[in-house]
Amino acid sequence: MKIVLVTPEIPYNTGAIGRTCVALNLELVLIKPYGFSLDEKAVRRAGTDYWKYVNLSEYDTWESFLEARKPRPESLFFFEEHGAQTFYDPDYPKDAFLVFGCESKGLPLAILNGLEDRTFRLPMLDSRVRSLNLANVAAAVVYQAMRPQLGG
């Protein structure tokens, strides 16, 4: 299973997600451009001393990621606040790519077009909350996706 961040903007979120990846032995895939440098203290601080252990892959574009990795369509899971289904609905295969967009804009429509059946949301009960923190969403999703492997 892999976590994919498309054009992440906030180094703290990327660092925290990297730390989660280390905890669960997952690969972190980053799609450029970033809103920060991976050398920044904030990324290392959020990932603490675990950042050096992150199994990290980087790609210049979404297209270069698809070309290099050739993921099966049914292994791609996109997470957006307006997904048609909740993240509880699918059965996640062990080779799943859990894909998240940047903090301010989410995933580009060019990526999501035609993939509505692969787009999921985290339910929120209070409409005053527009969105949740990316690191929190990624952690919730990956723990749900890995529930069978984690004994849940």
Side-chain angles (χ1 to χ4, degrees):
M1 203 166 285
K2 298 132 193 75
I3 294 180
V4 180
L5 302 181
V6 179
T7 65
E9 297 172 320
I10 300 173
Y12 180 81
N13 285 332
T14 300
I17 292 167
R19 185 176 184 170
T20 299
C21 287
V22 172
L24 296 173
N25 293 318
L26 302 178
E27 179 183 358
L28 176 60
V29 178
L30 300 180
I31 311 293
K32 296 176 184 178
Y34 314 142
F36 54 88
S37 164
L38 285 181
D39 298 335
E40 284 185 27
K41 275 187 185 179
V43 175
R44 289 193 313 273
R45 186 178 307 126
T48 62
D49 48 338
Y50 302 104
W51 186 252
K52 62 187 170 202
Y53 301 114
V54 174
N55 178 7
L56 180 65
S57 298
E58 298 178 84
Y59 295 92
D60 290 330
T61 65
W62 176 252
E63 292 75 20
S64 65
F65 160 74
L66 291 176
E67 185 177 311
R69 300 303 284 268
K70 298 178 181 17
R72 297 178 306 112
E74 58 274 7
S75 71
L76 292 168
F77 296 84
F78 301 94
F79 298 92
E80 276 293 320
E81 64 182 289
H82 299 296
Q85 307 166 73
T86 76
F87 79 127
Y88 295 113
D89 293 332
D91 291 322
Y92 299 91
K94 289 183 179 180
D95 68 340
F97 290 86
L98 310 174
V99 184
F100 303 88
C102 72
E103 290 87 345
S104 67
K105 299 175 196 148
L107 288 162
L109 290 178
I111 291 175
L112 293 174
N113 279 338
L115 297 170
E116 291 77 14
D117 65 323
R118 310 291 320 148
T119 306
F120 304 88
R121 72 182 186 291
L122 268 71
M124 293 187 284
L125 300 178
D126 193 322
S127 62
R128 294 175 292 182
V129 177
R130 284 182 328 216
S131 62
L132 298 170
N133 174 278
L134 179 61
N136 293 338
V137 170
V141 166
V142 75
Y143 273 90
Q144 175 63 25
M146 292 187 70
R147 211 170 138 192
Q149 293 104 290
L150 298 172

